[in-house]
Amino acid sequence: MNEAGPQEDKSPLQPTQRVLSGAAEDTEFSQANSHHDTKRGIKSRQAQMLALGGTIGTGLFVGTGQALATSGPAFLFSAYLVICLLVYGIVTATTEVSAYLPVRGASMAYYGNRIVSRSLGFAMGWLYWYTWGVSVAYEITAAAVVINYWPNSVPMAVWITVMLVVIVALNFFPVRIYGETEFWFASLKVFTIIGLLILSVVLFFGGGPDHTRLGFWYWQDPGATKEYLVEGSGGRFCAFLYALIYSCFSFNFGPELVVITAGEMQSPRKNLPKAAFHFIWRLIIFYALGALAISVICRSDEPALTSGGHGAAASPWVVAIKNAGIHGLDSVINAVIITSAWSSGNSVLYMSSRSLYSLAIAGDAPKIFSRCNRQGVPYYAVMASSLFSLLAYLNINTASGIVFDWFVSIINTASFISWVCCCIILLRFQKACAAQGLARANLPFASSIQPWAAWIALFAFASFGLLNGFSVFFPGNFTASGFLTAYIGIPVFFLVYLCHRITVRSEPWMRAPGSVDLKPDLTDLIMDEEADSAVSAVNFHSKRVNIFKRSFERSE
């Protein structure tokens, strides 16, 4: 895969006083108005780490167990490889657009409005808001599953309340605090995964307490692949399809998180391309190699993965460590997984609140949600978005494993819709650039795999969206809850889109390429970048002076 990587920023600097947003054409997005302003408080190192591990959550640590148990190790690894390539196509697509038009309050919904149509931006904005809000409840649910690994008599409602309070409280702090907190959360997840990969290599070669050399033994017994729903080759195909669709959950909304944080990121035209350039390594190391490691150290027929008394998706890492006889480490990893759920819940609540904020400044949500405090936190948007997290209390009266699967289906459907829309936005953006004579070589970021990767990803994720709940159509597997959670998101999205389309029926279904506003409003951004450059120059000069002084003192 050839990647152009970060390029010299040659984007035009003509400021425009008015930016089209996701509402009426006359909506003003005044970046000078502090009443509606978030703050660019996310630093470069924080942005890099957020891109690296911000959305690594229980999907990778816990959800992989369900896919392994259903599909087998070979299909699990193959599915993660395929999804890594598809998701990288989404990352390069979103970065190409957002690095050229970095505005406060930006989201892919904003770009959907500005580049494709107001109705698409409207529907995407509300999709993001409720999906990311529900994702908070999912992360708390997943943490509740993991907590049950330890025998305890603490009521589930207490654990849920503690996690909710921490996640919501962190989102009321200034964005620089959020960025620093997520930097350390993400660092913990990254180093944990690296440690687990090293541990897997050790166990592979027989370095565990019992010195049993695992190799690829679990690929032979119980086998590399499994059958699902039916027997024979059809069952193996269904198993691989299940692994493809279910494994997508581990990747959900990673590209969108990078776009959302760009609105509060320092020097986004420089830092966004860096984040995208390194994204492929995150995918390969953490996801592809992580799936391979899991397939090596954990049996696919391990009862704890599905119904071993610790919830519907016990972590395969924890199960493997316990079976290897490494005492105490399973509890340590379990604690890290709970921290990971907190971190991921923190990220998706941030994304949900900023999505509602973006809708508000666009005029597609009540203006009250655009209000920010002095630290740049849209506090009303945070409060409204946090209400979805109360869905986590469903665990009290329903088995947490069932609730876990409901949330996976709902969020998966939304992510497939989002990624299809991201591909459409990139394709329309490139058409607009061609129509207006803007060469891709002059963009802050341009990937050599586009637009082909966008076309492939569009077809793949559209197919996954239609097949998300394919198992309910097999005899004896249909349930109303399974069908609704897998597919309700699709008609809801189109209903929202069409309702808004009726209100703007005089407008074309898509903006003509020549009419798309490609004049980035970079006035404030350039001032911020110049200030950052001046500070960096002063710091560099001070360091040189100090080095010279120390050298002179030593010579004396």
Side-chain angles (χ1 to χ4, degrees):
M1 181 182 299
N2 295 323
E3 175 55 59
Q7 302 178 7
E8 181 182 355
D9 185 6
K10 302 176 183 177
S11 57
L13 303 181
Q14 303 94 327
T16 179
Q17 299 300 317
R18 187 165 159 272
V19 180
L20 294 175
S21 55
E25 293 286 339
D26 60 348
T27 299
E28 295 288 338
F29 182 34
S30 175
Q31 295 186 344
N33 187 349
S34 61
H35 182 68
H36 293 269
D37 246 3
T38 52
K39 307 293 184 183
R40 292 194 183 275
I42 297 178
K43 301 177 181 178
S44 177
R45 64 177 175 84
Q46 295 168 344
Q48 301 304 315
M49 189 55 72
L50 281 171
L52 196 61
T55 55
I56 295 177
T58 48
L60 179 60
F61 283 116
V62 180
T64 45
Q66 186 76 11
L68 176 64
T70 303
S71 304
F75 285 157
L76 175 70
F77 178 55
S78 301
Y80 266 77
L81 277 178
V82 172
I83 302 303
C84 279
L85 296 176
L86 293 175
V87 170
Y88 189 62
I90 301 297
V91 172
T92 54
T94 57
T95 305
E96 185 166 323
V97 177
S98 58
Y100 179 72
L101 298 168
V103 298
R104 288 190 175 96
S107 66
M108 287 312 297
Y110 166 83
Y111 297 118
N113 163 281
R114 182 166 178 167
I115 296 169
V116 182
S117 72
R118 289 166 58 188
S119 296
L120 182 66
F122 180 88
M124 288 180 69
W126 287 105
L127 171 81
Y128 286 148
W129 178 61
Y130 81 76
T131 303
W132 289 334
V134 169
S135 296
V136 181
Y138 157 77
E139 292 295 342
I140 295 172
T141 297
V145 171
V146 175
I147 286 176
N148 282 336
Y149 179 81
W150 297 301
N152 67 88
S153 58
V154 179
M156 183 67 68
V158 174
W159 294 120
I160 292 173
T161 303
V162 170
M163 288 183 280
L164 277 179
V165 169
V166 173
I167 289 172
V168 174
L170 284 173
N171 273 268
F172 278 104
F173 285 105
V175 71
R176 69 178 186 276
I177 304 298
Y178 163 81
E180 192 65 23
T181 302
E182 277 304 297
F183 173 82
W184 292 108
F185 271 143
S187 300
L188 177 62
K189 290 184 285 187
V190 168
F191 288 125
T192 299
I193 294 177
I194 292 174
L196 289 172
L197 292 176
I198 295 173
L199 175 64
S200 301
V201 174
V202 172
L203 295 177
F204 182 92
F205 288 106
D210 57 2
H211 302 291
T212 301
R213 183 168 180 168
L214 294 179
F216 285 96
W217 175 250
Y218 293 152
W219 286 51
Q220 301 176 43
D221 180 22
T225 63
K226 286 190 170 186
E227 298 172 352
Y228 180 54
L229 298 174
V230 294
E231 297 180 351
S233 57
R236 286 187 290 273
F237 174 77
C238 288
F240 180 60
L241 182 60
Y242 178 89
L244 277 174
I245 295 174
Y246 200 92
S247 62
C248 286
F249 189 80
S250 299
F251 301 82
N252 281 350
F253 302 117
E256 291 89 338
L257 173 61
V258 178
V259 175
I260 289 282
T261 56
E264 298 174 66
M265 181 188 297
Q266 295 175 354
S267 304
R269 293 184 298 163
K270 178 177 66 175
N271 291 323
L272 266 176
K274 287 181 180 178
F277 186 63
H278 295 111
F279 207 93
I280 185 61
W281 303 114
R282 164 197 165 181
L283 294 174
I284 292 174
I285 295 174
F286 299 146
Y287 290 95
L289 292 183
L292 178 61
I294 288 170
S295 71
V296 168
I297 65 175
C298 186
R299 297 177 62 93
S300 60
D301 60 353
E302 173 63 49
L305 294 177
T306 52
S307 58
H310 308 306
S315 169
W317 300 103
V318 173
V319 171
I321 290 170
K322 185 177 181 180
N323 290 344
I326 306 175
H327 301 294
L329 185 58
D330 56 334
S331 292
V332 172
I333 300 302
N334 223 46
V336 172
I337 293 173
I338 295 171
T339 304
S340 174
W342 258 328
S343 169
S344 191
N346 191 32
S347 292
V348 290
L349 180 55
Y350 169 84
M351 294 163 72
S352 179
S353 63
R354 293 326 188 258
S355 180
L356 183 57
Y357 166 80
S358 182
L359 284 167
I361 61 174
D364 290 333
K367 283 295 181 183
I368 190 173
F369 296 121
S370 67
R371 294 183 182 178
C372 298
N373 59 22
R374 289 179 298 176
Q375 287 75 37
V377 177
Y379 51 97
Y380 283 116
V382 172
M383 285 189 284
S385 300
S386 63
L387 294 177
F388 283 104
S389 60
L390 298 177
L391 291 171
Y393 286 101
L394 287 171
N395 285 293
I396 297 174
N397 294 320
T398 308
S400 57
I402 297 175
V403 177
F404 185 95
D405 288 338
W406 288 350
F407 288 152
V408 168
S409 294
I410 293 172
I411 297 168
N412 251 2
T413 302
S415 69
F416 295 146
I417 295 172
S418 172
W419 288 341
V420 167
C421 293
C422 288
C423 293
I424 294 172
I425 292 169
L426 182 277
L427 296 173
R428 298 299 298 177
F429 174 74
Q430 291 192 347
K431 277 186 172 292
C433 290
Q436 299 183 33
L438 178 60
R440 295 186 71 225
N442 292 331
L443 299 177
F445 176 85
S447 173
S448 59
I449 65 174
Q450 296 295 357
W452 302 280
W455 281 111
I456 295 172
L458 190 154
F459 173 78
F461 290 124
S463 301
F464 291 166
L466 296 175
L467 295 170
N468 187 33
F470 75 96
S471 62
V472 302
F473 298 107
F474 282 78
N477 287 312
F478 183 85
T479 62
S481 61
F483 177 80
L484 289 175
T485 54
Y487 292 109
I488 191 65
I490 297 176
V492 167
F493 177 82
F494 281 107
L495 179 63
V496 173
Y497 174 86
L498 291 174
C499 287
H500 185 271
R501 176 65 197 157
I502 292 173
T503 65
V504 292
R505 54 186 176 274
S506 60
E507 298 180 5
W509 285 85
M510 286 190 178
R511 300 189 190 278
S515 68
V516 174
D517 181 8
L518 292 180
K519 296 179 181 179
D521 187 359
L522 303 177
T523 307
D524 291 346
L525 186 61
I526 294 171
M527 293 175 61
D528 292 341
E529 291 179 350
E530 288 176 350
D532 291 340
S533 298
V535 171
S536 298
V538 170
N539 291 338
F540 177 73
H541 177 71
S542 299
K543 289 179 180 178
R544 293 188 63 182
V545 170
N546 291 333
I547 292 173
F548 176 77
K549 285 181 178 180
R550 286 197 296 268
S551 300
F552 181 75
E553 290 171 354
R554 288 172 185 164
S555 64
E556 291 181 334

